[in-house]
């Protein structure tokens, strides 16, 4: 498929940004537990707070409250309940949550793709991105989903880099906390502007604002 020079430049910038934002994942500790004090604990607390398991201060200190939150998470997801964040717990947690940088990216996606949509429609856009992470047919990271070539118009035309407003952050937060108005949809499109026969062939789930959501 022929790409414009602008599209290629935008995608290259996006990939460079992802490499800058996400270098820490490959360096994350394989196991942290009560008594650990580092940035991985901060990330753990942030993710658990996102999911509603941790209500304490995000301070990077693995204390009793953090251990309790980990146990609750492990119980909810059928993991060994030991309060220790080892490879298995990390693997599941990173699959169902986001870190701070990913939350920023999700809010940017919401704002750039759906800032004129009703609030439910903004949450729905975030939910689609998160649903793709869970699907075997898409990249298994949020960065991979968002920056997959030609996946989102706002990335292609540069609007993705606009500064999100408070509503976009709240919509991203609600999606991460489990609100999916789309019923597990993987696609959305504007029926007024969509010209792809393929997208029209998808099973339509519901219409929210100007977007139709489909699987």
């Amino acid at each position: 498929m022929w790409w414009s020079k602008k599209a290629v430049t935008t995608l290259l910038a996006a990939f460079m940004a992802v490499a800058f934002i996400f270098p820490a994942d490959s360096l994350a500790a394989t196991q942290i537990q009560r008594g650990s004090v580092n940035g991985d604990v901060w990330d753990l607390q942030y993710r658990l707070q996102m999911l509603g398991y941790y209500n304490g201060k995000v301070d990077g200190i693995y204390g009793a409250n953090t251990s309790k939150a980990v146990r609750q998470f492990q119980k909810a997801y059928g993991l060994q309940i030991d309060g220790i964040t080892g490879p298995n717990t990390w693997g599941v947690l990173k699959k169902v949550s986001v870190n701070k940088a990913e939350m920023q990216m999700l809010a940017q996606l919401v704002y750039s793709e759906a800032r004129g949509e009703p609030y439910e429609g903004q949450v729905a856009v975030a939910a689609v991105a998160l649903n793709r992470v869970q699907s075997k047919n898409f990249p298994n990271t949020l960065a991979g989903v968002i920056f997959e070539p030609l996946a989102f118009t706002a990335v292609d035309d540069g609007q993705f880099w606009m500064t999100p407003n408070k509503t976009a952050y709240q919509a991203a937060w609600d999606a991460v906390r489990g609100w999916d108005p789309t019923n597990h949809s993987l696609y959305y499109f504007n029926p007024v502007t969509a010209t792809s026969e393929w997208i029209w062939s998808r099973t339509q789930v519901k219409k929210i604002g100007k977007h139709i959501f489909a699987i």
Side-chain angles (χ1 to χ4, degrees), residues 94-98 106 109-110 120-146 148 152 171-172 174-188 203 205-206 208 212-215:
K94 289 183 177 182
K95 190 72 173 175
V96 301
S97 67
V98 300
L106 193 59
L109 181 69
V110 170
E120 182 183 8
Q122 295 186 46
V123 177
V125 166
V128 165
L130 295 172
N131 290 342
R132 289 186 179 187
V133 175
Q134 301 297 322
S135 172
K136 64 181 180 180
N137 297 321
F138 293 89
N140 61 2
T141 66
L142 187 60
V145 163
I146 291 176
E148 186 174 26
F152 295 99
D174 281 340
V176 172
R177 293 293 290 267
W179 184 16
D180 182 1
T182 77
N183 296 323
H184 310 294
S185 292
L186 296 172
Y187 308 96
Y188 62 88
T203 301
V205 175
K206 66 188 300 186
I208 306 174
I212 290 177
F213 292 84
I215 55 177

Side-chain angles (χ1 to χ4, degrees), residues 89-108:
T89 298
W90 266 129
V92 175
L93 182 59
K94 289 183 177 182
K95 190 72 173 175
V96 301
S97 67
V98 300
N99 61 27
K100 188 173 183 179
E102 289 169 328
M103 175 57 70
Q104 175 65 29
M105 295 177 68
L106 193 59
Q108 288 179 217

